[in-house]
């Protein structure tokens, strides 16, 4: 199962996008950035796959600085 993370250069941009997404009724969760993606500030937004393209448009429209959206394969705990 893939998980999608919006990565940020600083936490302020992450908090700003989270607030915008909440206002626009998108589901996003503030999460620690996975080690595999650790080039960012330490927080990221975990988003749903079906929202990726709409969130990209929101980031562009709102001029939110990000390091992009990355996905990683997560396996269920055994």
């Amino acid at each position: 199962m893939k998980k999608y993370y919006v990565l940020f250069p600083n936490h302020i941009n992450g908090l700003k996008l989270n607030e915008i997404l909440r206002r626009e009724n998108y589901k996003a969760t503030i999460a620690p950035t996975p080690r595999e993606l650790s080039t960012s500030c330490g927080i990221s937004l975990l988003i749903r796959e079906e929202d990726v393209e709409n969130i990209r448009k929101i980031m562009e429209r709102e001029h939110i600085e990000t390091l992009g959206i990355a996905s990683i394969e997560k396996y269920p705990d055994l």
Side-chain angles (χ1 to χ4, degrees):
M1 166 166 119
K2 280 192 177 183
K3 291 196 173 193
Y4 291 81
Y5 294 86
V6 183
L7 308 175
F8 301 95
N10 59 58
H11 71 282
I12 292 176
N13 287 307
L15 297 174
K16 183 177 177 183
L17 181 59
N18 186 55
E19 179 62 30
I20 292 166
L21 294 178
R22 191 174 334 158
R23 279 196 318 258
E24 296 192 22
N25 295 316
Y26 285 93
K27 188 170 188 155
T29 303
I30 296 173
T33 303
R35 289 187 187 271
E36 300 95 316
L37 308 172
S38 65
T39 60
S40 68
C41 70
I43 71 159
S44 56
L45 288 182
L46 184 57
I47 61 172
R48 298 184 306 184
E49 180 178 13
E50 59 266 24
D51 295 332
V52 169
E53 287 310 311
N54 288 335
I55 290 174
R56 283 186 206 277
K57 291 174 186 173
I58 291 169
M59 292 179 333
E60 186 176 322
R61 179 190 79 208
E62 298 292 332
H63 307 287
I64 304 288
E65 185 180 358
T66 73
L67 299 174
I69 297 175
S71 66
I72 58 173
E73 192 73 33
K74 283 290 194 180
Y75 300 99
D77 294 334
L78 299 175

